[in-house]
Amino acid sequence: MTVPCVRVSREDGEATRQRLAEADLVAQGYEIVHEDGSLYIPVRDPDAVPEEYTVVEHDAPRRETQTTPDDLIDFSASYERLGEVIIIDEDAPERARALADALVDSDIPTKTVLNRASKIRGEQRVRDWEVLVGDETEALHREYGCEFALDLAAVYFSPRLATERHRVTEQVAAGEQVFDMFAGVGPFTIPMAKRGEHAVGVDINETAIEYLRANAGRNSVADRVTGIHGDVRDTTDKYAGWADRLVMNLPHSANEFVDTAVALAGEECVIHYYDIQHEDDLFGPGERAIREAATPEYEVTVENRHTVRSYAPHEYNVVLDVRLARR
């Protein structure tokens, strides 16, 4: 059966498999294929695979010892995993029930199945869930060597951004001071603290900050993480000029906080600015907002313009990596 696979040399095969497994991208229902000096590793979500890898369609036999949800239903199973909590998005009740039952009956470890029941709303960035299996909404998620506890009913979290978070984290150098302006439970803050000197994470959602602090301890960086509950605009007095790197992961609204980002920036600072824009001008609005706020105090250099994922028809989630250097 032809499935999306990452193709790598045999020498790089195990390291690649481990990295994909840490991001929960390996399709466990298929065998890894050795052929002509290459390894073909089946993946669950080809769009989430890091850009440095080559994704191709290749024949991969199903694992005879594993039952997948697709084996048990007559439509294609679409779901996301946060540990043993499975997230689905089905409007039809009968399809939602059938998929939930198939997940339980498959070989995928399943404690809870949640169906999205609303869009993300409010400044707390939460949504409603229909609990189809289990009795709780708390999950334990592992991602690139870190572990995050979170309650999906009380905080915002997207497993789809794992590869993007890893891309940014890998840029952090030893000694850096990192400021995560909309931190949630810490999926940027904590891995960056592991690489840098210290990381500050701020969020308006008090429950998210409670989880961030607990997750810092869970990942052995409690002494290098400061979690602050409140509006990030109220932190500029204490942290003015402090940050070597800033993460602004609040699409739709990040432009309202650019002045705050500039106030927090040190002598030289890289800003990772996330946005959602129409395909006609993906990066222009964000770049113009940053230049307007930072000049003439800083020299502004856009080092990277990157499309993270599709968001809606003709709209994309994008990121700008922007370096500010004080003149």
Side-chain angles (χ1 to χ4, degrees), residues 27-298:
Q28 300 293 345
Y30 298 92
E31 298 284 355
I32 295 174
V33 176
H34 300 255
E35 188 175 297
D36 297 330
S38 294
L39 221 62
Y40 294 85
I41 305 172
V43 291
R44 296 194 308 110
D45 183 359
D47 293 334
V49 171
E51 290 182 346
E52 63 262 35
Y53 295 127
T54 300
V55 178
V56 298
E57 291 290 326
H58 195 78
D59 286 332
R62 285 186 179 274
R63 288 183 180 270
E64 295 181 2
T65 58
Q66 287 208 338
T67 300
T68 70
D70 284 310
D71 297 327
L72 304 172
I73 52 178
D74 59 3
F75 57 91
S76 180
S78 178
Y79 56 91
E80 298 174 69
R81 291 177 56 193
L82 288 171
E84 295 186 1
V85 176
I86 313 296
I87 299 170
I88 66 174
D89 191 4
E90 295 288 347
D91 293 329
E94 61 277 9
R95 278 176 61 103
R97 184 72 265 164
L99 179 52
D101 291 342
L103 285 159
V104 171
D105 293 338
S106 75
D107 288 324
I108 295 172
T110 302
K111 178 183 71 174
T112 304
V113 179
L114 304 176
N115 190 23
R116 290 185 175 96
S118 75
K119 294 183 177 180
I120 295 169
R121 63 183 189 279
E123 66 176 11
Q124 303 286 319
R125 295 193 291 169
V126 296
R127 68 163 90 233
D128 295 329
W129 299 93
E130 179 187 10
V131 182
L132 297 173
V133 175
D135 56 6
E136 62 182 47
T137 53
E138 190 170 58
L140 185 61
H141 173 66
R142 293 176 178 84
E143 180 177 300
Y144 288 103
C146 292
E147 191 173 78
F148 303 98
L150 59 126
D151 184 347
L152 286 160
V155 303
Y156 171 79
F157 189 86
S158 175
R160 295 179 181 178
L161 296 177
T163 301
E164 172 59 21
R165 289 190 283 262
H166 187 63
R167 182 191 72 85
V168 171
T169 296
E170 294 239 290
Q171 299 179 42
V172 177
E176 279 193 7
Q177 298 182 153
V178 180
F179 201 107
D180 189 352
M181 295 175 63
F182 316 102
V185 302
F188 275 108
T189 311
I190 288 166
M192 291 195 297
K194 282 189 170 186
R195 292 178 61 93
E197 176 70 23
H198 199 87
V200 173
V202 181
D203 204 282
I204 200 74
N205 185 326
E206 186 172 7
T207 302
I209 290 299
E210 290 172 357
Y211 272 108
L212 182 148
R213 292 168 180 157
N215 287 332
R218 183 184 295 273
N219 291 278
S220 303
V221 289
D223 59 335
R224 296 162 74 174
V225 169
T226 299
I228 300 173
H229 166 235
D231 190 319
V232 69
R233 287 170 288 204
D234 296 333
T235 66
T236 53
D237 287 345
K238 182 173 182 179
Y239 287 97
W242 182 85
D244 301 312
R245 188 176 302 271
L246 285 158
V247 177
M248 301 183 70
N249 185 24
L250 191 68
H252 291 304
S253 305
N255 63 303
E256 300 174 14
F257 296 85
V258 175
D259 288 341
T260 301
V262 173
L264 294 168
E267 293 298 304
E268 188 164 316
C269 178
V270 175
I271 298 177
H272 303 282
Y273 177 94
Y274 291 86
D275 203 358
I276 291 174
Q277 291 293 343
H278 192 273
E279 63 187 7
D280 290 345
D281 190 9
L282 290 175
F283 304 103
E287 183 172 342
R288 288 190 290 272
I290 293 170
R291 289 190 183 280
E292 181 178 348
T295 54
E297 183 180 359
Y298 287 93

Side-chain angles (χ1 to χ4, degrees), residues 13-24:
E14 180 55 24
T16 302
R17 187 200 64 76
Q18 288 182 4
R19 182 176 176 190
L20 294 172
E22 286 177 352
D24 197 23

